[in-house]
Amino acid sequence: MASCPHCHSHNLKHRTLGRTVAGSVGGLAGGAAGVAGALNGARTGAMAGVVAGPIGSVLGSIAGAALGGLLGSKIGCEVGSAVGDSLDANVLDNIECIDCGHTFRL
Ligand SMILES: [Zn+2]
């Protein structure tokens, strides 16, 4: 059983700072990339929809934009969380003492 090097308490908890922060940043970056993807998707959808006439073109752009935005944000968040996980595991202090607030690595 691990104990705090500062006060020798056994009341420890895992910290997931890297995952939380990197996951949010990744989600935001992915969302921004998703907007660019959405514009591309809208254009592609509109071109594909032209075959089905004006209504098909409108529906195609909406579907393309929605897919591009969703995918970008989801992928960004997952990549960010993966990076954060490895930060938590390899770089950051990953254990926090509940009693004295000391953080350290195990
Ligand atoms: Zn402590």
Side-chain angles (χ1 to χ4, degrees):
M1 180 71 189
S3 64
C4 172
H6 187 73
C7 70
H8 305 293
S9 163
H10 291 285
N11 288 324
L12 308 174
K13 66 175 182 181
H14 278 276
R15 306 173 84 224
T16 52
L17 184 67
R19 183 185 175 85
T20 308
V21 172
S24 316
V25 171
L28 285 177
V35 170
L39 293 177
N40 272 332
R43 200 177 317 132
T44 310
M47 277 163 57
V50 162
V51 179
I55 293 172
S57 177
V58 169
L59 288 179
S61 5
I62 293 171
L67 276 178
L70 278 177
L71 276 179
S73 177
K74 183 167 165 43
I75 292 171
C77 190
E78 277 178 13
V79 170
S81 293
V83 170
D85 269 348
S86 101
L87 278 178
D88 281 332
N90 301 307
V91 181
L92 300 173
D93 290 341
N94 57 0
I95 305 289
E96 179 176 350
C97 172
I98 294 167
D99 287 338
C100 74
H102 185 68
T103 58
F104 57 99
R105 285 187 52 73
L106 271 185

